[in-house]
Amino acid sequence: MSSVSATCNIIVITDPTGEDPNGAAAGSMSFAQNMFQSTFLMSKDNHFVVLSGGTGSSDSRLDSIVEAVAALKNNASSASAASLASGYTGARLVVGGPTIGASVSGSFRAYVITVEDNSTITVTPYSSGTATLEPGQKGAIIHLRNTAGNPMYGTADSVRKETAMNIGKMIRDGYPATTILAEAMGEVAKDSGEKYGGGGVNLISGLSTGDMFTPQQMNETGYPMDEPYSKTCENCGWGLGFPSAENYDKCPMCNHDLKTVYAYEALGNTLTVSENSVSVSVYGSDEPGLASTTQDVVKSSVVNNGYDANAIAKSINKAIDNGLIVGVDHVEPKDINVKKDSKAVGVYFTALAGDRSSPEWDLPIDSTVLNILGSIQTVIGIILILLVVFRSRLLKSFQK
């Protein structure tokens, strides 16, 4: 496994009281490979985050993360937890939470942004010691460096400063932290090339992008945050992730135009708590693209039918029959765990055996009948009828 370093780390705090469900957010990304969730560890119970990176070895960075997490769980300040990075060669720690502020220490180049109640914005550069956004203060910290081999190498200094200023303006103008984080990550991705997830977390509501943007395999890059991630219908809520979304210009449910959602926008949508928001967890299969497509299907079903397990199961099975979801068997309502109060849905799939991509067909004739008629010539006629009736499904199966 090649070494990984999160070259972009951002923490945004717009509500230091911890009352706004979207008042604190954090995220990481890089041009490097292997940007898994270890680059943005969050405690849902204690509402803090540890973002890691640096130029040292993976072992030293891991040791610094473990020590920082232990310190924060014992009520250490963000500054003292972050400063632990200085004890490990090349390590960097960016830590924080809505009520403890945020700090960065170790090997870093960062800006600390503060926004006062009178709308005064202060953007201060730091590159040594421990830089801190004090508890109770609205503001943010952004660290950014370029990865060797990035075609846009040399842009980090200017992009870091410009993005820091834009973060300050968005905090001043009242945007939620989750939206600010998403916009900042999109700007960094486009302007500096440090663009692969990684991902982000909502520190107050405990939401995470999970593996939405992280690499699917070792020694691969994650999803580019400045590229299209999905297409959605703003009329009925239907959506589908790329690359499958490339096949659709109109919504298959209501025939309305589809909106292209970029990855950084999808990050913001996932982390932001709203009236229609829903957190979707997928279990039972690691089929590539399964989680993101299932999330879109479930969200569409919730928008149209509410938190109804029967309706959700029906929508998922329709997506399986249409070839949008592959590699898993049909689900039943008992496979859908709905928690309406917390706006969460868990989907428990059963992976298909062997190399099958879709479940067995639900034929209008029992398969034992074909076995009985197997030695009779008329079975050929029956098969021909089935071929005609199910030609579209056969074509889809053959294409798979």
Side-chain angles (χ1 to χ4, degrees), residues 65-76:
I65 293 169
V66 171
E67 190 172 354
V69 169
L72 289 167
K73 289 184 68 175
N74 287 319
N75 299 317

Side-chain angles (χ1 to χ4, degrees), residues 107-148:
S107 176
F108 72 94
R109 293 178 185 174
Y111 278 92
V112 175
I113 305 104
T114 60
V115 181
E116 306 298 337
D117 291 337
N118 63 4
S119 298
T120 300
I121 302 171
T122 304
V123 178
T124 309
Y126 292 91
S127 59
S128 62
T130 300
T132 298
L133 175 70
E134 296 294 338
Q137 176 72 60
K138 289 183 181 180
I141 290 180
I142 175 172
H143 160 85
L144 177 62
R145 279 179 175 157
N146 280 130
T147 304

Side-chain angles (χ1 to χ4, degrees), residues 343-400:
K343 297 183 178 180
V345 175
V347 181
Y348 295 81
F349 284 113
T350 299
L352 295 173
D355 297 326
R356 293 188 62 88
S357 61
S358 60
E360 294 183 3
W361 298 339
D362 183 16
L363 299 176
I365 183 172
D366 194 292
S367 59
T368 57
V369 176
L370 294 181
N371 292 332
I372 295 173
L373 299 177
S375 60
I376 304 177
Q377 288 184 337
T378 53
V379 75
I380 297 176
I382 295 175
I383 292 175
L384 289 175
I385 292 173
L386 293 175
L387 289 174
V388 171
V389 172
F390 293 97
R391 61 188 180 279
S392 61
R393 188 178 295 182
L394 284 168
L395 286 171
K396 289 181 181 177
S397 180
F398 178 75
Q399 289 170 350
K400 293 174 185 175

